[in-house]
Amino acid sequence: MRIVLGLLICFLPDISSAHDPHDDIPPPFLAIDKIDREDPFRQLDDVLPTPTEARLASGAPGPGYWQQRADMDIQVTLDASSHRLEGKERVTYHNNSPHTLTYLWMQLDQNRFRSESIGNSSDPTDMDAEESIGWLRRLAFEEEFVGGFNILSIRDRAGENLDHVIVDTMMRIDLPTPLKSGEKLEYLVEWNHSIVNADLLRARGGYEWFEEAGNAIYEIAQWFPRMCAYTDYAGWQNKQFVGSGEFTLEFGDYKVAITVPDTFVVSATGVLTNQDDVLDDIQKERLAAARSSHRPMFIVTPDEALENEKRESTGEKTWIFDAKNVRDFAWAASPKFIWDAMGVSVPGGNITMAMSFYPNEGEPLWSRYSTHAVAHTIEVYSQISVPYPYPVAISVNGPVGGMEYPMICFNGPRPEEDGTYSQRTKYGLIGVVIHEVGHNWFPMIINSDERQWTWMDEGLNTFAQFIAEQLWEEKYPSRRGEARNITGFTTSTDQMPIMTNSEQLLQFGNNAYAKPATALNILRESVLGRELFDFAFREYSRRWAFKRPEPADLFRTLEDASGIDLDWFWRGWFYTTDHADFGVEKVVRYHLDTGNPDVEKPLQKEERDSDPQWISRMNNEGLTLRSDRYPELLDFYNSFDELDVTEKDRRGYERFLSRLEDGDAELLQRQWNFTVVRLRNYGGLIMPVPIEVTYESGKTERFDLPAELWRSNPRAVSRLLVTSEPVVRVEIDPMLEIADADRSNNVFPQEIDQQRFKIRPESDRSNPMQLDRDERLRIEAQIAARRLGSELASRIKNRESGTPVPAAARILQDMAEDALADPYGQMLSVFDSTDENGIARIVSVGPDGEPGTGDDISWIVHADGSIEEPVKKSEP
Ligand SMILES: [Zn+2]
């Protein structure tokens, strides 16, 4: 091998010298310029996996399709004093694969929080010149926190220990006898682990501590050892949990008993099966009433939640939940929870309970929007995908910004402490609830492999979220989905194709959420149209509900069900980083020459005579020419005009007409307008091109050119438009639908670019001498205030006891004016104290001499005559 490499290196200089343009000897091979480019329309056969009887060429699961199943029976106790979980789980693993298994793998996601985990120790870390205090707090927490699972025992049904080996976030359980196809295995795992503080560590679950109240909200996820997926396409999914790639999971039935302090309210995946043990009669009544309510109703009111979180816990309660056919289980618990709910009708006749759990800190935002957003998501997604199959859908407010699990999701946005909130917070909450509830479909039901492909659930879900948001209210400010919003990303330099593994993605949100969502939206609106797309998307959801689709299954199904070859679209949007940028290069209007000399020659004459004057001829005007001095130099050609109509021309035209077939003469007379539009593809991405032309009359018309327009030349193409009126303007992509990155070349003739500019306000140019003077004046002001303060205190103190204390200002009536002067040339003002804090308040108008402005200085006067300047929080 090494010898061959050496030879290659030796030969390289010789080869390159053959290309030297200065070399007179022609190259020893034929130099032929051929079209050398990749065909953007070639089929994806060389990229997609070969279809099998499990995954058919149509994109549907086939007769050979199988998947494993894991049923779980879990008992868990939350120790709220030490933020720990103790758990015991019975796993029933069904080997539905055609294979014999000698060992099983489980996922221990909590192990990512071990300091030596791959995720922790492989995070590229760097420091900035400025770091936040939160960054320091996180470091301190990480130093103390001992994360990860303690696996106490793994035993089979007979109580025999099963050997196991932990490999980072995974655990192999060795089976004493192989598990054959069609067999099932039951075993018991006992474990415990500490819960992370989710305010300090970026996590998908954890607790939020409320210092003043001395209590917490727990959002518990990836909290128990879960089965690794064993699949037809990857065997055991052995990509470790590094942090970004989420989960590849098996479906199963869950029964989970959660023991918590008795003041806690618990919310979880599934249906609460022991209401009588944990709810009081009023709560049960309200819950039943909410089922038929069309507006959210409180099960626990804000006032009741406030009362509840003040109560001391005196014991424990166990909440038991049942969940059928789910791929995971998560829960939340807190004494702080308000709880509201409403019933939502699902197509097919079922009613699902849309519910929210949140603390008073979430009010009034949460009671207004959360449960409505849950209900809206169920309604919209059930239409565009499959009907919601589960009995509950829950949104919880706590420390996690946004994270999804079956039937339950965690959402972060909260109002300010005073109950006001910004527009961003409002739409942030509605948007995140729709998004996280939407994940019930992608990937909780349509169970794609998140550890491999973030886009398969985030992209599809963000696309559906966009549809739901646009059906919430007029002009809903969606962040992602609209074609024009993606151009900043598609033209950025550090991007990778959508088809990139979750851990290696650059620009995660744009790559895995926004771009696939936008691509699907364009596919729906501009490539397939809503009717074809919606049918095909529903078909994909239906085929793969409660199964495990791969990217090829999506690509193939959308083609299979729409009848349109989309390989060019998948290739461009999912396998390349090409962007869309089309331009109108030129527009040519052709006139049909009728051949009639009496019509055409006068027209040609007009064109010739309107030819612009050229400069030398203009400058020579008035000069004496030789032919002026010798007129005999002018002959026949000086008066001959080749564009004068002659009888010979007319006879020729007659002959031309006589040779035409019947009706052709009439065709020549018709009012045709021929316009050739020359389009260029600057971005490389193949897309359909919508064109709008404007006619002389001002009327417009649309021509929708399909993507196949580019099949003979993907870079430049001309298109003839035959219209009844003359075209005066051409615009491509007038409705902003194809994510065209540079719109300045979309209009012909080009238009003046309209921009806006502002005058910058003059900046504060105080020099250090001025700042020093200001500081000295401030000290003088403080001295004056201190003098006044002690005078004030002694006058109040010296009054005879029993007489009422007059207003602070009045007690100073007889004071000399200069005792009240401040160093800014104004008088200090004295006000009564507004609270118990101090006996009065002194105010100086500050350097600007104006009362009521930002530079005013205010001091509190205490009873002993001392003064105190409160810190202004808003001061920069
Ligand atoms: Zn998401």
Side-chain angles (χ1 to χ4, degrees), residues 112-250:
R112 187 176 87 74
F113 297 113
R114 289 184 167 174
S115 52
E116 73 280 9
S117 71
I118 294 181
N120 249 349
S121 38
S122 70
D123 258 354
T125 39
D126 200 350
M127 281 197 70
D128 284 328
E130 239 177 60
E131 294 287 354
S132 66
I133 187 74
W135 180 84
L136 267 190
R137 282 191 205 127
R138 187 171 65 247
L139 277 190
F141 178 77
E142 277 175 333
E143 219 170 63
E144 276 173 32
F145 182 71
V146 182
F149 277 107
N150 299 306
I151 301 294
L152 306 178
S153 73
I154 304 179
R155 280 173 289 138
D156 64 13
R157 279 186 71 172
E160 295 294 323
N161 279 322
L162 294 175
D163 286 342
H164 60 275
V165 176
I166 292 173
V167 185
D168 199 48
T169 60
M170 291 171 64
M171 172 168 68
R172 193 187 71 226
I173 302 174
D174 296 328
L175 306 180
T177 48
L179 186 64
K180 296 211 183 77
S181 173
E183 288 181 351
K184 66 176 179 183
L185 173 73
E186 233 178 85
Y187 62 97
L188 194 72
V189 186
E190 283 183 277
W191 51 265
N192 64 41
H193 67 82
S194 293
I195 303 167
V196 299
N197 181 329
D199 274 341
L200 298 178
L201 279 192
R202 195 187 156 266
R204 288 175 175 78
Y207 68 89
E208 174 182 16
W209 182 249
F210 293 82
E211 190 60 49
E212 237 166 81
N215 56 23
I217 294 176
Y218 294 89
E219 290 179 327
I220 304 297
Q222 297 122 262
W223 54 283
F224 61 97
R226 300 180 296 184
M227 286 313 302
C228 276
Y230 182 74
T231 68
D232 60 301
Y233 60 83
W236 288 106
Q237 169 55 277
N238 45 25
K239 266 195 160 323
Q240 295 279 350
F241 183 45
V242 179
S244 292
E246 290 180 330
F247 319 113
T248 313
L249 301 163
E250 303 287 10

Side-chain angles (χ1 to χ4, degrees), residues 246 404 435-436 439 457-458 461-462 513:
E246 290 180 330
E404 70 278 8
H435 180 94
E436 305 307 344
H439 271 305
D457 65 302
E458 296 300 353
N461 182 37
T462 304
Y513 293 63

Side-chain angles (χ1 to χ4, degrees), residues 22-328:
H22 303 293
D23 199 335
D24 283 334
I25 307 160
F29 48 79
L30 281 174
I32 302 172
D33 273 341
K34 288 194 175 170
I35 298 172
D36 183 18
R37 61 167 176 250
E38 299 219 310
D39 169 18
F41 288 92
R42 75 192 182 283
Q43 294 298 288
L44 283 169
D45 298 347
D46 51 346
V47 176
L48 299 184
T50 308
T52 62
E53 279 304 285
R55 292 166 195 276
L56 304 180
S58 66
Y65 183 84
W66 55 266
Q67 68 187 17
Q68 308 293 67
R69 179 174 187 86
D71 297 325
M72 294 281 182
D73 187 340
I74 311 177
Q75 289 155 34
V76 61
T77 302
L78 167 67
D79 179 348
S81 60
S82 62
H83 308 302
R84 282 180 70 77
L85 292 181
E86 299 270 348
K88 202 190 278 184
E89 70 191 63
R90 179 172 301 281
V91 184
T92 309
Y93 186 71
H94 304 259
N95 181 11
N96 298 331
S97 80
H99 316 138
T100 298
L101 302 174
T102 53
Y103 46 77
L104 307 178
W105 283 97
M106 294 195 88
Q107 310 191 46
L108 308 178
D109 289 358
Q110 289 296 323
N111 285 7
R112 187 176 87 74
F113 297 113
R114 289 184 167 174
S115 52
E116 73 280 9
S117 71
I118 294 181
N120 249 349
S121 38
S122 70
D123 258 354
T125 39
D126 200 350
M127 281 197 70
D128 284 328
E130 239 177 60
E131 294 287 354
S132 66
I133 187 74
W135 180 84
L136 267 190
R137 282 191 205 127
R138 187 171 65 247
L139 277 190
F141 178 77
E142 277 175 333
E143 219 170 63
E144 276 173 32
F145 182 71
V146 182
F149 277 107
N150 299 306
I151 301 294
L152 306 178
S153 73
I154 304 179
R155 280 173 289 138
D156 64 13
R157 279 186 71 172
E160 295 294 323
N161 279 322
L162 294 175
D163 286 342
H164 60 275
V165 176
I166 292 173
V167 185
D168 199 48
T169 60
M170 291 171 64
M171 172 168 68
R172 193 187 71 226
I173 302 174
D174 296 328
L175 306 180
T177 48
L179 186 64
K180 296 211 183 77
S181 173
E183 288 181 351
K184 66 176 179 183
L185 173 73
E186 233 178 85
Y187 62 97
L188 194 72
V189 186
E190 283 183 277
W191 51 265
N192 64 41
H193 67 82
S194 293
I195 303 167
V196 299
N197 181 329
D199 274 341
L200 298 178
L201 279 192
R202 195 187 156 266
R204 288 175 175 78
Y207 68 89
E208 174 182 16
W209 182 249
F210 293 82
E211 190 60 49
E212 237 166 81
N215 56 23
I217 294 176
Y218 294 89
E219 290 179 327
I220 304 297
Q222 297 122 262
W223 54 283
F224 61 97
R226 300 180 296 184
M227 286 313 302
C228 276
Y230 182 74
T231 68
D232 60 301
Y233 60 83
W236 288 106
Q237 169 55 277
N238 45 25
K239 266 195 160 323
Q240 295 279 350
F241 183 45
V242 179
S244 292
E246 290 180 330
F247 319 113
T248 313
L249 301 163
E250 303 287 10
F251 284 103
D253 291 346
Y254 280 66
K255 184 184 173 197
V256 181
I258 302 166
T259 303
V260 292
D262 61 2
T263 53
F264 279 42
V265 171
V266 180
S267 164
T269 301
V271 171
L272 177 64
T273 59
N274 66 332
Q275 279 193 18
D276 293 343
D277 299 338
V278 292
L279 303 185
D280 63 29
D281 288 343
I282 297 175
Q283 288 167 344
K284 281 188 282 181
E285 254 168 52
R286 288 171 180 167
L287 196 56
R291 206 173 162 76
S292 51
S293 167
H294 296 297
R295 296 214 151 66
M297 279 180 61
F298 286 119
I299 316 302
V300 176
T301 68
D303 286 342
E304 288 163 357
L306 273 184
E307 280 306 305
N308 193 40
E309 69 173 305
K310 282 180 202 151
R311 281 198 303 136
E312 279 289 320
S313 139
T314 54
E316 289 182 330
K317 270 185 184 174
T318 299
W319 299 57
I320 302 173
F321 294 88
D322 240 341
K324 295 266 178 286
N325 216 10
V326 287
R327 53 169 241 161
D328 198 2

